Amino acid sequence: MAVPPARTGSPLPPRAMRLPRALVVREPAPEELRAVIDWSDWYLDDADGLGAWGEHDEIARVLLSSIAQLARERGAADHHAGTGRFFAWVREEPLVRVSPDVYLLDHRPAPPLPKQWQTWLPGHRPPRFALEIVASDWQKAYEDIPLKYCQLGCPELAIVDPQAAAQRPPAGRVALQTYRRDPDGAYVRAHAGAGPAWSAALDSWLVVVGGGAEARVRLARGGGKGELVPTQEEAAALESRAREAAEARVRELEARVRELEGMAQG
């Protein structure tokens, strides 16, 4: 999201120094050098990738609405947040792709939006931020989702597991994970737990409220422990109540003025 720079800088403490790192495969087996990559396990057809079920749809709707409200507060217009689109990154394997439940692009694309973003095409870029919601086979999701988004080139990924947001989460599962690409290209898990988790891409805190079918991902202020960024609907309701209260106060003052004028004339 194109937002004005934070006045106080990142809320995270300064990083310690470390050496650069990169994925290097040393001494591979001879058969690996001659092997052809089998991408089929990562194929995602239309039926699997789109058409989120109810809980996913509501989680995505609430977060998208909060992102839109935060952008409105900051006066940020040159971005696009959406859902229901594919992102592919292997030209020879167009079914090797992801379909984030929420994604954020740095700049607003010209309509119409493509059904599938293909990063080898001009103007098709990976999302700046993506959210994936774990549905079934959580162990495979935990393992595969970061690998795919690392290859896609997505700078920041959040994974939410609604079932792990319960008071007693299943063993081995966590409500919220974030991955971030470091300057040396390493894809690092920056957070794994209940939250809150800082999102550099959104310049805000991510929190999971509720659990199970009621779990929602929200943006929060004040170190993730302050008030939630309202959705557009919540903000509209707050503005409406404030406007009604102000109008009622004006009517009250006008009535008092008329009363005083009547007393003066009498």
Side-chain angles (χ1 to χ4, degrees), residues 204-225:
S204 183
W205 291 91
L206 293 168
V207 296
V208 179
V209 297
E214 302 300 319
R216 300 291 182 265
V217 181
R218 301 295 300 263
L219 304 180
R221 314 184 201 273
K225 299 180 180 179

Side-chain angles (χ1 to χ4, degrees), residues 157-159 174-180 188-198 205-206 208:
L157 166 70
I159 303 173
V174 292
L176 181 63
Q177 301 176 68
T178 61
Y179 285 82
R180 197 169 299 135
V188 180
R189 188 164 74 167
H191 175 84
W198 173 250
W205 291 91
L206 293 168
V208 179

Side-chain angles (χ1 to χ4, degrees), residues 71-123:
R72 177 181 172 226
E73 293 176 5
R74 294 173 173 174
D78 188 18
H79 72 279
H80 171 71
T83 186
R85 291 292 187 274
F86 290 109
F87 287 82
W89 65 94
V90 183
R91 181 194 294 266
E92 297 77 13
E93 297 281 358
L95 287 180
V96 176
R97 54 191 183 172
V98 293
S99 177
D101 293 287
V102 172
Y103 67 87
L104 176 69
L105 300 177
D106 274 331
H107 303 290
R108 184 180 297 277
L113 294 179
K115 180 180 178 181
Q116 173 163 296
W117 299 91
Q118 300 173 109
T119 59
W120 58 89
L121 295 178

Side-chain angles (χ1 to χ4, degrees), residues 15-19:
R15 296 182 182 180
M17 300 297 290
R18 66 166 175 79
L19 295 174

Side-chain angles (χ1 to χ4, degrees), residues 9-248:
S10 171
L12 302 179
R15 296 182 182 180
M17 300 297 290
R18 66 166 175 79
L19 295 174
R21 54 191 167 195
L23 174 63
V24 177
V25 179
R26 293 186 172 90
E27 300 181 1
E31 58 271 18
E32 289 185 357
L33 293 175
R34 298 188 298 269
V36 176
I37 297 175
D38 180 6
W39 293 99
S40 60
D41 193 47
W42 283 9
Y43 285 176
L44 191 63
D45 62 29
D46 290 0
D48 292 332
L50 302 179
W53 47 287
E55 294 171 21
H56 281 204
D57 188 61
E58 185 62 14
I59 292 172
R61 185 197 67 79
V62 169
L63 182 57
L64 284 169
S65 187
S66 298
I67 290 174
Q69 176 60 27
L70 186 63
R72 177 181 172 226
E73 293 176 5
R74 294 173 173 174
D78 188 18
H79 72 279
H80 171 71
T83 186
R85 291 292 187 274
F86 290 109
F87 287 82
W89 65 94
V90 183
R91 181 194 294 266
E92 297 77 13
E93 297 281 358
L95 287 180
V96 176
R97 54 191 183 172
V98 293
S99 177
D101 293 287
V102 172
Y103 67 87
L104 176 69
L105 300 177
D106 274 331
H107 303 290
R108 184 180 297 277
L113 294 179
K115 180 180 178 181
Q116 173 163 296
W117 299 91
Q118 300 173 109
T119 59
W120 58 89
L121 295 178
H124 287 224
R125 295 183 176 86
R128 176 179 178 82
F129 168 86
L131 173 81
E132 282 273 1
I133 304 168
V134 175
S136 58
D137 198 350
W138 65 271
Q139 290 176 312
K140 183 174 176 59
Y142 281 27
E143 180 68 24
D144 285 357
I145 290 174
L147 298 177
K148 294 176 181 180
Y149 281 88
C150 177
Q151 288 206 7
L152 172 63
C154 178
E156 188 173 273
L157 166 70
I159 303 173
V160 62
D161 186 346
Q163 297 306 314
Q167 288 186 345
R168 295 181 179 178
R173 303 176 70 167
V174 292
L176 181 63
Q177 301 176 68
T178 61
Y179 285 82
R180 197 169 299 135
R181 184 179 295 280
D182 273 357
D184 57 8
Y187 215 52
V188 180
R189 188 164 74 167
H191 175 84
W198 173 250
S199 168
L202 299 174
D203 194 21
S204 183
W205 291 91
L206 293 168
V207 296
V208 179
V209 297
E214 302 300 319
R216 300 291 182 265
V217 181
R218 301 295 300 263
L219 304 180
R221 314 184 201 273
K225 299 180 180 179
E227 64 172 316
L228 299 177
V229 175
T231 63
Q232 288 180 302
E233 297 79 10
E234 291 167 345
L238 289 171
E239 292 170 2
S240 177
R241 287 196 292 270
R243 185 167 55 251
E244 291 172 358
E247 292 171 352

